[in-house]
């Protein structure tokens, strides 16, 4: 018996997609990769996921787990051979339980991030993971990529928000690790091994997540700044002044926000005149557990001093929730605006915060020498030292010409990241995009240990082959 009829018998024919129905799963969000697959299957329970994996293990068919398909590095896109099965977690979308005494919730992997946030809020709690793809990415994808986003400086990335996991292994067994414990030192940390493994070690089917109190008041401001150095100085003061209440600190080049308002004319910068043409902007958020007055007092003290000392050239403080949302909307529209400008070479790097402005200056200069006229698209999560240091084509270049230079651009930028003590993937993961780059910066020992772990957990090499490591 071959695999497809067995899958149809197991799941029902309606949950085994081929042809047009499978097409959206075969191309990544950025349109950089197009693959083929035997079929896309949509199991409806952990037991069904396990049964599908057992069938694939029996037939030695590779499996590509798929969540919301918003990966920035082709992680959920199968290769072109058509041998793999795409396994969508979309139907595992139940909130299994919320425990407000333990401040935890247990959700299935296919839950959309926004639905997880909403369920937490309905229980009077905060689930703080937040990113612009939250309306379509899934918690399983977030865990598998150890996603970051805009609140990491206060709450950590997805790894720090997960207490327990349920995982289907590469042999189709179910590991019941849904523990809601903040302390558990019982040997190797399997949970942290699966988190961030991008579907190469097993399939996450559910997770127990940490919840936090909802803030009583929030203050948001957009700041106009002359330089990234000034942004770093303001971040330092905000950290000292707000402590754990500092929940967001994003930076954006002025030209990047210009591109946003050009593409989305209904959006506007909260500035007029010269401040609307600032070289840099920062978006700052404070979350307070006391009161609006307390929040405002702290906010104005730190911002006032930064303006007086010339670090901030102008500040727009949101006076309503609508104004705060509009500021965040500007920031969150950047990936779409960037995609609207055409294909760019994207880098998702982290650098010690103290070296970020030096990194940008020296790398910009080196790029201009080697690729004259290339345009810089720099924005990101300065609060966690994570920049999206992207490069768009020079005005006299075609998109294809830029993409033909992609690996040379990577090499220059990633060498600079490495020289500044940074990482070539801060939050997006490796997928297929950075797989070969990884081998240039990880030590031989690290790569060997990673391969040994892969071999131990996935001896047949059927879990998302060709992602993170060579197949
Ligand atoms: P997918 O894209 O479907 O999959 C991602 C990887 O995880 C693949 O390797 C896949 O095989 C694997 N996978 C998916 N589900 C499972 C599972 N249940 N078990 C095992 N493996 C699985 N990322 C950030 O970190 N920070 C940001 O601020 C951010 N902003 C973004 C903004 C936009 C507009 C977009 C399009 C993307 C953004 N991303 C960001 C990238 C992306 O949203 C995240 O990586 C997200 O975590 C992926 O979730 P997903 O459900 O879409 O996963
Ligand atoms: C972001 O911070 O907006 C995301 O990581 C997406 C991107 O880099 O385009
Ligand atoms: Zn980001």
């Amino acid at each position: 018996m071959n695999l497809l009829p067995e899958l149809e018998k197991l799941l029902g024919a309606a949950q085994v997609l081929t042809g047009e129905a499978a097409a959206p799963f075969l191309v990544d969000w950025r349109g950089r990769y197009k693959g083929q697959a035997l079929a896309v299957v949509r199991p409806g329970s952990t037991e069904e996921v396990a049964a599908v994996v057992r069938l694939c293990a029996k037939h030695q068919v590779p499996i590509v787990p798929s969540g919301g398909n918003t990966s920035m590095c082709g992680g959920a896109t199968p290769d072109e051979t058509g041998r793999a099965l795409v396994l969508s977690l979309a139907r595992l979308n139940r909130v299994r339980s919320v425990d407000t005494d333990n401040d935890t919730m247990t959700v299935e992997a296919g839950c959309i991030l926004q639905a997880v946030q909403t369920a937490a809020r309905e229980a009077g709690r905060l689930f703080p993971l937040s990113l612009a793809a939250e309306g379509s990415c899934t918690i399983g994808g977030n865990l598998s990529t150890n996603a970051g986003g805009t609140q990491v400086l206060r709450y950590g990335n997805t790894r720090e928000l997960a207490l327990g996991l349920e995982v289907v292994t590469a042999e189709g067994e179910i590991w019941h690790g849904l523990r809601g414990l903040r302390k558990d030192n019982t040997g190797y940390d399997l949970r942290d091994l699966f988190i961030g493994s991008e579907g190469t070690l097993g399939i996450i089917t559910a997770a127990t997540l940490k919840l936090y109190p909802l803030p009583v008041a929030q203050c948001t401001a957009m700041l106009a700044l002359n330089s990234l150095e000034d942004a770093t100085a303001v971040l330092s003061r905000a950290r000292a002044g707000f402590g754990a209440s500092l929940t967001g600190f994003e930076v954006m080049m002025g030209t990047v926000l210009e591109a946003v308002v050009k593409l989305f004319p209904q959006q506007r910068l909260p500035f007029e005149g010269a401040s609307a043409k600032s070289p840099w902007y920062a978006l700052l958020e404070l979350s307070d557990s006391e009161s609006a007055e307390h929040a405002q007092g702290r906010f104005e003290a730190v911002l006032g001093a930064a303006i007086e000392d010339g670090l901030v050239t102008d500040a727009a403080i949101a006076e309503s929730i609508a104004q705060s949302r509009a500021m965040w909307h500007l920031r969150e529209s950047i990936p779409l605006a960037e995609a609207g400008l055409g294909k760019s070479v994207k880098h998702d790097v982290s650098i010690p915060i103290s070296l970020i402005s030096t990194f940008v200056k020296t790398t910009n200069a080196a790029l201009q020498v080697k690729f004259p006229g290339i345009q810089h698209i720099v924005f990101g999560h300065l609060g966690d030292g994570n920049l999206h240091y992207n490069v768009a084509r020079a005005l006299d270049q075609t998109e294809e010409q830029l993409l033909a230079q992609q690996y040379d651009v990577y090499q220059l930028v990633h060498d600079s990241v490495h020289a500044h003590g940074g990482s070539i993937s801060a939050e997006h993961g490796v997928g297929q995009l950075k797989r070969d780059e990884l081998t240039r910066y990880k030590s031989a020992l690290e790569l060997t240990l990673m391969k040994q772990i892969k071999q131990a957990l996935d001896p047949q090499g059927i879990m998302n082959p060709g992602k993170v490591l060579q197949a």
Side-chain angles (χ1 to χ4, degrees):
M1 198 179 187
N2 83 30
L3 181 62
L4 285 189
E6 284 187 70
L7 289 168
E8 284 180 359
K9 188 164 167 231
L10 176 69
L11 305 175
Q15 306 306 342
V16 181
L17 316 179
T18 52
E20 277 302 293
F25 295 86
L26 305 181
V27 61
D28 71 308
W29 189 87
R30 295 178 61 205
R32 297 295 299 274
Y33 296 99
K34 181 142 184 28
Q36 298 296 329
L38 215 52
V40 176
V41 291
R42 294 165 32 98
S45 65
T46 301
E47 289 69 28
E48 284 190 356
V49 173
V52 170
V53 175
R54 284 196 297 274
L55 279 178
C56 288
K58 185 174 93 183
H59 291 274
Q60 298 190 331
V61 166
I63 301 168
V64 180
S66 174
N69 198 18
T70 64
S71 166
M72 285 276 161
C73 39
T77 313
D79 67 17
E80 290 164 356
T81 62
R83 288 183 53 238
L85 188 75
V86 174
L87 191 154
S88 163
L89 278 301
R91 290 177 63 225
L92 272 76
N93 60 1
R94 283 184 316 131
V95 173
R96 289 193 189 163
S97 61
V98 180
D99 178 348
T100 48
D101 285 339
N102 197 40
D103 267 341
T104 51
M105 72 195 295
T106 297
V107 302
E108 292 183 343
C111 284
I112 300 292
L113 173 55
Q114 210 164 54
V116 176
Q117 296 165 342
T118 303
R121 205 175 309 116
E122 282 169 1
R125 296 291 185 277
L126 173 75
F127 180 62
L129 183 67
S130 176
L131 44 130
E134 63 200 24
S136 50
C137 65
T138 62
I139 193 69
N142 303 146
L143 287 156
S144 302
T145 57
N146 188 26
T150 55
Q151 307 274 301
V152 172
L153 80 169
R154 164 66 180 89
Y155 300 101
N157 48 23
T158 313
R159 174 172 277 120
E160 286 161 80
L161 300 174
L163 292 175
L165 292 186
E166 178 185 270
V167 174
V168 170
T169 69
E171 275 153 26
E173 289 179 303
I174 302 171
W175 172 46
H176 297 282
L178 287 174
R179 300 173 189 126
L181 304 174
R182 284 169 177 78
K183 288 189 158 184
D184 179 15
N185 281 351
T186 50
Y188 305 139
D189 198 330
L190 298 177
R191 174 196 66 200
D192 277 357
L193 198 52
F194 286 109
I195 295 174
S197 68
E198 302 183 42
T200 63
L201 300 179
I203 300 176
I204 296 171
T205 49
T208 299
L209 306 169
K210 281 188 203 167
L211 298 176
Y212 289 83
L214 282 164
V216 173
Q218 283 187 309
C219 292
T220 314
M222 193 164 272
L223 314 179
L225 305 139
N226 278 330
S227 67
L228 202 46
E229 267 152 309
D230 288 350
T232 308
V234 176
L235 168 63
S236 215
R237 288 174 178 217
R239 236 204 246 103
F242 304 152
S245 302
L246 179 64
T247 47
F249 200 106
E250 300 286 306
V251 285
M252 299 143 273
M253 274 176 73
T255 48
V256 174
L257 284 189
E258 245 172 60
V260 170
V261 292
K262 200 163 164 203
L263 190 71
F264 304 110
Q266 71 281 15
Q267 293 198 48
R268 306 205 36 191
L269 289 190
F271 296 108
E272 302 287 343
S275 304
K277 297 249 169 260
S278 183
W280 288 92
Y281 294 97
L283 182 56
L284 179 68
E285 184 188 79
L286 173 148
S287 300
D288 197 276
S289 55
E290 276 189 35
S291 65
E293 293 70 37
H294 186 252
Q296 234 165 323
R298 296 169 81 192
F299 206 55
E300 285 170 7
V302 170
L303 279 189
I307 294 171
E308 218 160 275
D309 295 344
L311 292 172
V312 171
T313 55
D314 204 351
I317 299 182
E319 281 168 9
S320 63
I321 290 177
Q323 283 184 5
S324 161
R325 285 211 182 112
M327 288 179 188
W328 276 107
H329 194 38
L330 277 166
R331 161 62 185 94
E332 285 167 356
S333 300
I334 295 174
L336 275 176
E338 189 185 8
L341 289 176
K343 293 198 166 68
S344 54
V345 180
K346 280 172 88 72
H347 305 93
D348 161 41
V349 306
S350 61
I351 310 272
I353 295 172
S354 43
L355 297 181
I356 279 207
S357 75
T358 316
F359 161 79
V360 170
K361 266 191 213 143
T362 55
T363 317
N364 281 0
L367 279 172
Q368 289 302 331
V369 171
K370 197 152 183 210
F371 310 98
I374 220 157
Q375 300 179 80
H376 305 284
I377 303 181
V378 182
F379 63 96
H381 318 287
L382 186 68
D384 0 290
N386 174 193
L387 278 191
H388 299 305
Y389 181 84
N390 303 339
V391 167
R393 68 180 177 85
L395 293 176
D396 60 356
Q397 229 185 359
T398 63
E399 206 171 272
E400 289 66 37
Q401 283 168 330
L402 171 70
L403 294 184
Q405 296 173 321
Q406 160 167 304
Y407 287 96
D408 297 329
V409 174
Y410 277 159
Q411 182 155 357
L412 189 156
V413 173
H414 289 161
D415 280 355
S416 178
V417 167
H418 194 60
H420 285 85
S423 165
I424 66 162
S425 177
E427 59 171 9
H428 292 166
V430 176
Q432 43 189 312
L433 186 74
K434 292 185 198 147
R435 183 194 63 194
D436 297 339
E437 285 291 282
L438 200 66
T439 58
R440 303 194 320 115
Y441 305 102
K442 286 259 181 220
S443 69
L445 176 61
E446 274 178 300
L447 284 170
T448 302
L449 292 173
M450 282 171 68
K451 285 175 192 161
Q452 286 172 348
I453 290 168
K454 169 79 176 166
Q455 175 64 27
L457 295 190
D458 178 22
Q460 293 200 86
I462 59 168
M463 291 308 311
N464 213 2
K467 314 293 166 51
V468 185
L469 294 169
Q470 296 274 1

